[in-house]
Amino acid sequence: MAVPARTCGASRPGPARTALRWPDRGSRPGLSARRPAARPPRPLSLLLPPLLLLPLLAAPGASAYSFPQQHTMQHWARRLEQEIDGVMRIFGGVQQLREIYKDNRNLFEVQENEPQKLVEKVAGDIESLLDRKVQALKRLADAAENFQKAHRWQDNIKEEDIVYYDAKADAELDDPESEDVERGSKASTLRLDFIEDSNFKNKVNYSYTAVQIPTDIYKGSTVILNELNWTEALENVFIENRRQDPTLLWQVFGSATGVTRYYPATPWRAPKKIDLYDVRRRPWYIQGASSPKDMVIIVDVSGSVSGLTLKLMKTSVCEMLDTLSDDDYVNVASFNEKAQPVSCFTHLVQANVRNKKVFKEAVQGMVAKGTTGYKAGFEYAFDQLQNSNITRANCNKMIMMFTDGGEDRVQDVFEKYNWPNRTVRVFTFSVGQHNYDVTPLQWMACTNKGYYFEIPSIGAIRINTQEYLDVLGRPMVLAGKEAKQVQWTNVYEDALGLGLVVTGTLPVFNLTQDGPGEKKNQLILGVMGIDVALNDIKRLTPNYTLGANGYVFAIDLNGYVLLHPNLKPQTTNFREPVTLDFLDAELEDENKEEIRRSMIDGNKGHKQIRTLVKSLDERYIDEVMRNYTWVPIRSTNYSLGLVLPPYSTFYLQANLSDQILQVKYFEFLLPSSFESEGHVFIAPREYCKELNASDNNTEFLKNFIELMEKVTPDSKQCNNFLLHNLILDTGITQQLVERVWRDQDLNTYSLLAVFAATDGGITRVFPNKAAEDWTETPEPFNASFYRRSLDNHGYVFKPPQQDARLRPLELENDTVGILVSTAVELSLGGRTLRPAVVGVKLDLEAWAEKFKVLASNRTHQDQPQKQCGPNSHCEMDCEVNNEDLLCVLIDDGGFLVLSNQNHQWDQVGRFFSEVDANLMLALYNNSFYTRKESYDYQAACAPLPPGNLGAAPRGIFVPTIADFLNLAWWTSAAAWSLFQQLLYGLIYHSWFQADPAEAEGNPEVRESSCVMKQTQYYFGSVNASYNAIIDCGNCSRLFHAQRLTNTNLLFVVAEKPLCSQCEAGRLLQKETHSDGPEQCELVQRPRYRRGPHICFDYNATEDTSDCGRGASFPPSLGVLVSLQLLLLLSLPPRPQPQVHAHPSRRL
């Protein structure tokens, strides 16, 4: 008899309310009507015993079905557990594989990972690697200072007198609009031949250096030509360094004039757009050229600052922020009659990428109004610098003021806050074209050990917002050898294509004197740098002895990772370092905060912790045990850590001395054996130096076999450990085929495949045809199922991954399968390890039918279905009553694994909230699941469409027709500044619209870095089974949930939803774009860090008389006419501004 139809009550309008209630002891009136809730929900601790759930009452003479009793559903759960366990025992072969390992005990040894010894050895190796670079750096810096000291300045030097390789020459020759093509280069530029070098990932020439000069610097200026002249002698030192250490990568001298000379020579990686690279703005140069900074930027936003001037100020502030590194602290404020911060930051904050982004966005919102009040601005700045209750650099305190001019010198403020010690430097910037007296601005800078700069137009911003570093470098130069200390940078992207690198830096000082008895020169010449690729450091760490879930990591004084398996930036910006905090690379907890602090402080330590880890596919969270061991890397600011799971304390090392056995096992790698022994995938590891890598595993296996026919596993050019373990595991997994798989009929148990994967790099899939649908990575250490199986006891189910935005699974030819895997744990002489994972691949459709039978009143599939007779009461089951009863298996991440609803089979693998939002929310509210939210700071996002499509760049003053008709306007400073702005705008589109990374970086990159919010679910604290009611108005749903023992599955039985008001809010699991955690809140509780231990911000002998002076250039009629013609003809010539140099810059 059919189940009585059910209807929906409609007593309450508005959104549905979801709550949990326990059914009354009395009978329920039938499925045709749902009784509205009458009592508030009770806490879980007060839920009535599940056996009190009474069956449904029906009218006399009719058959009726009731929701299953709890003991019935527990019985179904036991049947499911037994079925899964039986299949895995028969086909998984865990016990048989243990026996195989024991039978082959003579073929391997059990080695121990001793964490303290391991981490100390690796730290020592990294120290030795970096020390070799340090010695090369010192030779270069000493040579540069001596070469410059011996050099004689030439006032009449000409371009044709200098011969060098211009790294951008080839690109400029290909560009008909380039500077040299337009005016004809007089310099004798070398044309070189290059050879491909895999170490540099580039074509190089080892006989010469290359020179890169920023686009906005005139190559023919006297300063630049003298610079090229004396730095040429560095070429021989570069070459000698490489002779002594062939592993050296880029050796670079970045000059304070903007010239970069690097070795070996290679063509510059010129972008399609204008090349904005300037060595003085690179992270490594900034770090090496000065000590850390505490900077307050104050911006005049009085009413006189309007239009173009305000735009210049905003751009200048953004460029100034780009000269700061993570060792610096900054705040930005605007002022008129009073001062206020431009952002939510009320005190100095670390100048990291995310904080600088907040500043840059806030600066764009500044509006000009009111009157100028220098006093308010400076008092605010001094108060900020005197605040000792916050974390800051405590070095190089400075105020940077941007204004259009004024008459007040605010001497009383300086007397109160800064005199007589003058511990705060004041830099003043006169912005825009105006007729104000700049003497007060010069006086402020000169009486406070600072410098005065003018920014009349857009072209002057870059040069004048970075030259303050010369002033900060004075105490370093005067300190002499004491300041000659090598510093190692954060991780950043190499501009020449090496990938992620760190750079050792050493400042180069001007040792000349202006004359006999004169004071010592106090200018920094530049910074010497040597790159170290992260991959070279990684090679010093153990690769495969730590197991799939063991790893080495390193952090710096900021807590940023130098090494970490999760350091994988998807996009990089040439202008910004890669700053991933250790607590963002992993899931943060209190134990890791303590470990991070201890490492930053340079301590040794060891700690075993229980922590959460995210799966490799970022869908799951596992609670695991990990052992952390850490030591400092001496002579550096880095600290090294080792993470080991308890089961990775020991590992297997094959000992295949029997060459006959080597050949026998090797034959099982040959494709000719696959039909009988199953398909073999080998991990794409670096087994031998001459082995050609390939992303296609079939091709890689072919290359491997061909090489093994030429060399032996004991060859010196091969990694004997990897080769022996690979061949041993080939033989061991073949024995599993022979003992277990070959004689079994997989179809009897609806299996698509059986498989085994090992630490040695073998993945064997049986039968051979199943390999066609095998989608897991051939590297077990990078396979999510492998790593999760090691971390979890029992059977780990992994449904096929689905994205809600894509089409559902296509169930054709029985190719869709569900992986079930488990680790093989060995105990050998009291030593426990897990060297392999075995599993099966279930046929989705067949197991969905089997699932219905196991969760029904039938004992086997051939038994006829039980019918509920007249005048009887029967319990519903998942097979007969599938129209009214929903039965599902959900894994520990909340993903659907199996369902008794045929229409849900193509949704297997989806987050269950996308299948039944109401039920998933109830499971979450009942603590079956716990949610973990985190942020991915290394994501890549498609660029946003431009928000301004007007003809003129945003914020630019656009003259009216009346202005154009006014002759006075054409001779005004406004017209002159506008033409400069437009000319630079034709070339430097990035100043107004484009992303600087697009201008400097790879033009093919279409994505930009962004923050993504990730949400994962994992099993909560509830292990018992119980029933509950989802109450939503007049509609309610009974459900039962129970964990399946020895699996990662949750068995759920629920009434199907019939009422629209039972719809609930949907839990989200997919990644979503985010701005990250609120920065304004984060800066109130900054993470622990330490700055460099040295500070050079004061020297009693410093000469502060060179403090800047005005340099206005009145427009001429001839120039204006020429500019107008160029604009009309749409000819965008390259600018050729003279290099701004201090008088003492003459070398």
Side-chain angles (χ1 to χ4, degrees), residues 291-296 329 348 381-382 384-388 392-400 418 422-427 448-450 472 1095-1098:
S291 294
K293 300 173 277 294
D294 284 326
M295 177 187 291
V296 179
Y329 282 75
L348 291 172
F382 279 113
Q384 290 278 299
L385 293 172
Q386 289 182 353
N387 185 356
S388 59
R392 55 183 184 172
N394 286 315
C395 188
N396 274 321
K397 299 177 180 63
M398 68 192 72
I399 299 172
M400 324 296 276
N418 204 37
R422 291 174 170 79
T423 56
V424 177
R425 296 182 188 268
V426 175
F427 296 85
N448 290 281
K449 298 171 64 176
L472 301 190
C1095 172
F1096 298 97
D1097 61 354
Y1098 172 79

Side-chain angles (χ1 to χ4, degrees), residues 84 797 889-891 897 1019 1043-1044 1047-1051:
I84 294 167
F797 281 69
L889 290 178
I890 313 172
D891 70 14
V897 176
F1019 281 154
R1043 294 265 294 273
L1044 294 189
T1047 73
N1048 66 326
L1049 296 179
L1050 182 69
F1051 176 44

